[in-house]
């Protein structure tokens, strides 16, 4: 009889252990489901960051091209300004020479 009681006690303990394991497994399933949800959210965020990065790279390339074009235009303007200054300087000298000649007469 005591052997049967011992077997019954052990079976009862095993049943409690199984219930505890089932509870733990249910908790793990909940944790895994939550992790899957978070991973989905994280993947969405990473995709959004990638798209924004592509836009930034495109805009940066456009700005660099604009900068290059603007720099070339400014160099052309600077050359034209220097040429204009040279021409005006020559005309100023010619005008002063003519004035001197007129004042001598």
């Amino acid at each position: 009889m005591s052997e049967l009681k011992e077997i019954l006690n052990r079976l009862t303990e095993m049943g409690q252990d199984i219930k505890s394991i089932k509870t733990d497994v249910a908790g793990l399933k909940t944790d895994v489901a939550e992790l899957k949800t978070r991973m989905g959210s994280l993947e969405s965020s990473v995709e959004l960051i990638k798209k924004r990065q592509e836009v930034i790279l495109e805009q940066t390339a456009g700005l660099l091209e604009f900068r290059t074009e603007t720099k070339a235009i400014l160099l052309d303007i600077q050359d034209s300004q220097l040429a204009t200054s040279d021409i005006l300087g020559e005309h100023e000298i010619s005008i002063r020479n003519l004035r001197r000649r007129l004042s001598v007469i």
Side-chain angles (χ1 to χ4, degrees):
M1 192 67 149
S2 73
E3 286 180 8
L4 284 176
K5 271 188 166 181
E6 189 176 325
I7 291 172
L8 185 60
N9 285 338
R10 287 195 180 183
L11 284 175
T12 304
E13 287 176 11
M14 288 173 61
Q16 290 173 352
D17 289 345
I18 289 172
K19 283 182 185 179
S20 177
I21 289 171
K22 284 183 178 180
T23 303
D24 290 346
V25 168
L28 287 172
K29 284 182 179 179
T30 302
D31 290 347
V32 168
E34 186 179 328
L35 284 173
K36 284 182 179 179
T37 302
R38 287 183 175 183
M39 280 298 295
S41 176
L42 183 60
E43 287 173 348
S44 297
S45 296
V46 168
E47 283 302 315
L48 181 62
I49 290 170
K50 284 181 181 179
K51 287 179 183 176
R52 287 181 178 174
Q53 184 181 18
E54 288 175 9
V55 169
I56 289 170
L57 289 174
E58 288 173 8
Q59 289 177 350
T60 301
L63 289 172
L64 287 174
E65 184 178 339
F66 176 76
R67 179 184 176 272
T68 303
E69 291 172 359
T70 303
K71 191 173 180 180
I73 291 169
L74 287 174
L75 287 174
D76 286 344
I77 291 172
Q78 184 179 17
D79 288 343
S80 295
Q81 179 65 29
L82 290 173
T84 303
S85 294
D86 288 344
I87 291 170
L88 290 176
E90 290 174 17
H91 288 171
E92 185 65 29
I93 292 170
S94 298
I95 290 170
R96 287 182 187 210
N97 285 337
L98 287 173
R99 281 185 185 161
R100 282 192 197 125
R101 288 183 194 159
L102 287 175
S103 63
V104 175
I105 299 178

